[in-house]
Amino acid sequence: MIKLNLAAGLLALMAAAPTLAQTAPSPTAAPGLALVRPTMETEPVDHEGDAADDPAIWVHPSDPAKSAIIATDKKGGMLVYDLSGKRLQYLPDGRMNNVDLRGGFKLGGRRVTLVAASDRTRKAIALYTIDPETRQLTSVADGVQATGLSDPYGLCMYRDRKGGTFVFVSDPQGLVRQWKLTATPAGKVRAQAVRDLRFDTQTEGCVADDATGALYVAEEDVALWKLGADAKTGAARKAIARVADNPALKDDLEGVGLYAQPGGKGYLVVSSQGNNSYAVFRREGDNAYVGSFGVAANDQAGIDGISGTDGLDVSSASLGAGLESGAFVAQDDDNAAPPGRQNFKLVPWSAIAAKLKL
Ligand code: CA
Ligand code: CA
Ligand code: CA
Ligand code: CA
Ligand code: CA
């Protein structure tokens, strides 16, 4: 009987284990870390475990409050959320890992916003447009845009000063491949490879600065790198910050976002996943390290803090009332309150700027 009870107890514990893990408190932030609080969280993604991955903030062309968060469920597809966190669309198009977007792309006689995602199911680049009226994504890929990569993983986009639109996709072996996107006469979009860049180890998070032509790539265990986003600039790169040198950074370095301000000023934000914080660097000059922040629970709003972030995005554009200086949006590894599947959380940029005296 005792043995039977023990076995039953063990079974009960095993059954309860996922719940216990989900309700465990988020890892505590380092002492002295500047803390801000989220004011919004999205509805959870549909898949269990590590599923939410990367957001991209889309700014509505005429009504900032109708801006949206386009995001990936890396176990199933693409998501669109409004600024209250309500899900507007789910497209079960495959294991989409990272997502980014760029406006101003000429397609079928109109200027559209192109949304690109790294599709691990088809080893391809998924391509969409977003309709400002419906805020729905529609695929515009001219068939499967194969990457030739073993596993398309990190992704970011770049629009050069001549209006050319590009996509960078990384694989887990340190390769970063660049494509140029072109419109077909039928109003679809095709990707043409233009350059390969090689890092020593896995990269994922990346962001391009369209105004300066800089590309920033996070080599997860090693450093945040800066190189030229234009294919003709070659492979020369410089470490902005190394995990080994900056005690505020703890690998993996994950999502990277650019907060662009007029006059070439602004900030880079990098997920320091290993210590549940975000490192901020100057956009200009030698990208000096400014400071780090963490995101603690907003108990009044019933929103838990953010830990273990994979993807993030920041925008300096107004997203409406309360978000006039833009926002920071990040994936939360542990959606602890109330316990649920993973989601994305938003912090007004004004709160980050006040804490770090930006
Ligand atoms: Ca993760
Ligand atoms: Ca992104
Ligand atoms: Ca990663
Ligand atoms: Ca959390
Ligand atoms: Ca929550």
Side-chain angles (χ1 to χ4, degrees), residues 7-24 48 339:
L10 265 175
L11 276 173
L13 262 177
M14 283 162 70
T19 315
L20 286 173
Q22 280 180 338
T23 52
E48 300 284 344

Side-chain angles (χ1 to χ4, degrees), residues 41 304 335 337-338 343 345:
E41 64 179 337
D304 53 303
N335 184 16
N343 66 357
K345 294 177 165 79

Side-chain angles (χ1 to χ4, degrees), residues 6-357:
L6 266 175
L10 265 175
L11 276 173
L13 262 177
M14 283 162 70
T19 315
L20 286 173
Q22 280 180 338
T23 52
S26 294
T28 43
L33 182 69
L35 293 176
V36 294
R37 293 173 201 284
T39 56
M40 182 280 272
E41 64 179 337
T42 67
E43 291 177 26
V45 298
D46 279 354
H47 290 93
E48 300 284 344
D50 198 22
D53 198 80
D54 187 38
I57 299 169
W58 172 73
V59 181
H60 191 279
S62 57
D63 186 348
K66 286 198 180 130
S67 299
I69 296 162
I70 302 170
T72 60
D73 174 340
K74 64 185 169 191
K75 292 183 175 172
M78 302 294 298
L79 296 151
V80 183
Y81 300 96
D82 70 14
L83 293 179
S84 73
K86 181 181 174 319
R87 190 166 96 177
L88 302 175
Q89 187 183 23
Y90 175 57
L91 278 177
D93 282 0
R95 295 187 297 124
M96 304 295 174
N97 202 51
N98 281 187
V99 59
D100 200 3
L101 55 82
R102 283 296 185 274
F105 188 84
K106 231 191 267 178
L107 190 65
R110 303 180 300 139
R111 295 274 177 184
V112 301
T113 293
L114 270 193
V115 176
S118 43
D119 175 357
R120 301 173 83 175
T121 299
R122 289 167 199 79
K123 301 187 195 296
I125 303 169
L127 295 162
Y128 303 90
T129 52
I130 181 162
D131 180 334
E133 290 299 316
T134 63
R135 293 184 286 180
Q136 303 283 297
L137 298 171
T138 303
S139 174
V140 289
D142 185 32
V144 174
Q145 297 303 298
T147 60
L149 301 180
S150 62
D151 185 14
Y153 189 63
L155 177 143
C156 58
M157 293 180 75
Y158 170 56
R159 187 162 192 261
D160 72 13
R161 279 155 285 187
K162 289 184 257 167
T165 302
F166 300 83
V167 181
F168 295 90
V169 184
S170 70
D171 76 4
Q173 286 84 40
L175 174 63
V176 176
R177 183 164 289 166
Q178 179 174 5
W179 287 262
K180 178 157 203 215
L181 298 181
T182 52
T184 71
K188 300 287 183 183
V189 181
R190 204 172 273 173
Q192 180 191 5
V194 293
R195 175 169 66 151
D196 278 1
L197 295 160
R198 284 175 203 284
F199 293 80
D200 295 335
T201 63
Q202 175 163 307
T203 74
E204 182 175 3
C206 58
V207 70
D209 187 336
D210 296 355
T212 65
L215 172 70
Y216 298 90
V217 177
E219 188 177 358
E220 293 185 344
D221 298 335
V222 180
L224 178 63
W225 296 98
K226 181 183 197 173
L227 54 159
D230 290 305
K232 63 177 187 305
T233 53
R237 63 177 192 249
K238 186 183 151 195
I240 300 299
R242 291 180 187 273
V243 173
D245 296 342
N246 186 334
L249 300 178
K250 181 85 184 79
D251 52 311
D252 295 356
L253 300 185
E254 289 279 338
V256 189
L258 176 74
Y259 187 87
Q261 292 174 298
K265 301 237 162 131
Y267 302 95
L268 285 164
V269 183
V270 182
S271 171
S272 175
Q273 191 180 50
N275 59 5
N276 308 304
S277 68
Y278 309 91
V280 180
F281 300 86
R282 288 198 190 285
R283 178 190 185 194
E284 63 271 18
D286 287 334
N287 308 102
Y289 172 67
V290 177
S292 294
F293 66 93
V295 183
N298 180 344
D299 291 328
Q300 278 171 332
I303 304 172
D304 53 303
I306 318 181
S307 60
T309 290
D310 288 318
L312 62 76
D313 199 10
V314 291
S315 175
S316 60
S318 172
L319 305 177
L323 300 173
E324 289 84 355
S325 309
F328 162 93
V329 175
Q331 180 257 5
D332 181 19
D333 179 65
D334 177 20
N335 184 16
R341 297 181 300 276
Q342 290 183 341
N343 66 357
F344 300 88
K345 294 177 165 79
L346 178 147
V347 179
W349 184 265
S350 54
I352 295 163
K355 275 284 174 185
L356 294 184
K357 301 184 172 59

